[in-house]
Amino acid sequence: MELGVAAAPGSSSSGLGVGPVGGALDAGPGSGLAGIQEESGVRRDGSGTEADPDAPPKKRVRQQEGEAGKLEERLYSVLCCTVCLDLPKASVYQCTNGHLMCAGCFIHLLADARLKEEQATCPNCRCEISKSLCCRNLAVEKAVSELPSECSYCLKQFPRSSLDHHQTEECQDRVTQCKYKRIGCPWQGPFHELSAHEAECSHPSKTGMELMGILDEMDQSHRRELQLYNSIFSLLCFEKIGFTEVQFRPYRTDDFITRLYYETPRFTVLNQTWVLKARINDSERNPNLSCKRTLSFQLILKSKVNSALECSFLLLKGPYDDVKIKPVIQHHVFSNDANETEYYALLPINDSVECNKLLAAKNINLRLFIFQIQK
């Protein structure tokens, strides 16, 4: 006796394992009911096991990830700075037509325009830009902070707003230094290897004689800082001390190729009239073509004096500026024949970025201290 199975309309009976009952029972795993289950399993999951009905289709997930990746790429191109074509890391400024600039490029454009005696313009639409015409775009700043960015150590993706914290505090692959660096250990490596290295580090077992050279270098650096602070404290004990807020204004020389320089209005300190002048890159011909930016300054006594006037002086940042200036004490003996100091090599600012902040401003505001040395 044979068992017949009716095929569904429009389907083939060969794929349904139709045949004698004994043949179906004795058949191997590739035929009969097992074959039906196996073939349907292959069609559902692409493997020999049956797929989980609750799991989302893998193909659909891959498509969504691809679409998200394309969206991120489009956002990168929309939100990037029009100058450096990179995503802003801090403040975002926009021109009157909405074109975006990161804070560094915006300040650099203003500084270059000041050096070339031109009006700064947006590199996209050529409209005028300045600190009064441009404003920050807070919406773009927040959007950029939420975009994913890759950790440079572990290569995982994190929102840009939390990336710095991850790279400095949490990442197990971040570069770190041995705690015995202060006594000369040069080791640098990933954070997850730090404990193993410090357990085997040989520097804690060094003799006192071996550590003397390292400690001498540390002492010299500390001594220089201490000398500066002690000098400032000593100057504050002088009888005649004067200070004032000074404002450097930009001017141009009368040369065929004009050069930018700065000069303050006359001001009075210690009953004497003074003027400060400053120049860019020691008055080189085209400072706008150089990546390095420096400011040098000189102090000029405009009053007539009956006797030599010995003074120490230093410049510090103004009360409302965010520029970083290292204090450097200068010394000069003023007289009617020697009423100008030399141009001191550097206005004591940290780097070219800080210099560009000053150049981008309409005026440079600093604070001058003068200490008269009594004989």
Side-chain angles (χ1 to χ4, degrees), residues 20-308:
V21 174
L25 296 174
D26 296 335
S31 62
L33 295 176
I36 295 173
Q37 295 173 354
E38 190 170 7
E39 289 181 17
S40 62
V42 171
R43 284 195 297 270
R44 285 198 300 265
D45 192 28
S47 63
T49 59
E50 185 175 351
D52 183 1
D54 296 330
K58 290 186 176 179
K59 186 174 182 181
R60 184 179 300 172
V61 172
R62 285 197 295 269
Q63 287 177 348
Q64 289 174 351
E65 289 176 355
E67 291 172 1
K70 292 179 181 177
L71 175 61
E72 290 168 9
E73 291 176 5
R74 294 200 298 272
L75 287 175
Y76 274 100
S77 62
V78 169
L79 301 177
C80 70
C81 169
T82 58
V83 182
C84 64
L85 303 180
D86 197 4
L87 281 179
K89 295 181 180 179
S91 304
V92 181
Y93 292 87
Q94 66 176 26
C95 72
T96 52
N97 291 325
H99 297 120
L100 305 175
M101 292 164 281
C102 65
C105 291
F106 177 64
I107 294 299
H108 208 286
L109 287 172
L110 297 182
D112 280 354
R114 174 62 55 81
L115 291 173
K116 294 186 286 187
E117 199 181 8
E118 297 175 354
Q119 172 61 49
T121 58
C122 170
N124 248 23
C125 62
R126 299 302 173 188
C127 70
E128 293 185 1
I129 60 174
S130 67
K131 286 191 173 182
S132 59
L133 293 174
C134 297
C135 62
R136 287 176 61 182
N137 191 319
L138 300 181
V140 171
E141 290 179 16
K142 285 187 172 291
V144 170
S145 70
E146 294 303 319
L147 285 176
S149 185
E150 190 177 82
C151 173
S152 56
Y153 303 119
C154 65
L155 306 182
K156 295 179 182 178
Q157 297 280 336
F158 295 90
R160 293 172 68 90
S161 57
S162 61
L163 181 62
D164 286 341
H165 177 72
H166 166 77
Q167 292 188 149
T168 56
E169 302 293 337
E170 298 175 349
C171 184
Q172 294 296 306
D173 293 329
R174 68 184 187 271
V175 177
T176 187
Q177 295 177 324
C178 176
K179 67 180 180 181
Y180 300 113
K181 175 191 172 185
R182 290 174 60 84
I183 56 174
C185 180
W187 183 86
Q188 287 186 339
F191 180 78
H192 62 81
E193 297 179 3
L194 178 62
S195 299
H197 164 76
E198 290 180 348
E200 301 175 355
C201 185
S202 61
H203 282 73
S205 60
K206 284 191 173 184
T207 65
M209 186 61 69
E210 291 174 327
L211 297 176
M212 284 302 296
I214 302 168
L215 295 176
D216 284 342
E217 293 180 4
M218 295 171 58
D219 286 344
Q220 289 178 10
S221 175
H222 178 69
R223 199 177 295 117
R224 285 192 294 268
E225 293 181 2
L226 189 61
Q227 183 179 1
L228 172 63
Y229 291 119
N230 286 337
S231 299
I232 293 176
F233 288 137
S234 297
L235 291 174
L236 291 174
C237 297
F238 282 18
E239 180 183 354
K240 293 187 176 182
I241 302 174
F243 75 93
T244 185
E245 314 299 328
V246 293
Q247 186 178 79
F248 286 91
R249 298 175 181 173
Y251 295 95
R252 289 280 166 179
T253 63
D254 296 330
D255 303 334
F256 177 73
I257 299 178
T258 62
R259 289 180 173 85
L260 173 69
Y261 72 96
Y262 286 83
E263 186 172 330
T264 66
R266 295 192 177 197
F267 56 90
T268 301
V269 176
L270 299 177
N271 298 321
Q272 306 292 338
T273 304
W274 310 82
V275 166
L276 275 168
K277 287 186 177 181
R279 62 189 185 187
I280 316 299
N281 290 11
D282 289 330
S283 294
E284 72 177 8
R285 185 168 183 176
N286 291 309
N288 56 295
L289 302 180
S290 172
C291 294
K292 184 180 179 182
R293 301 280 166 82
T294 62
L295 275 171
S296 53
F297 77 99
Q298 73 171 168
L299 179 63
I300 303 172
L301 175 64
K302 289 295 186 179
S303 302
K304 296 295 182 181
V305 291
N306 298 323
S307 60

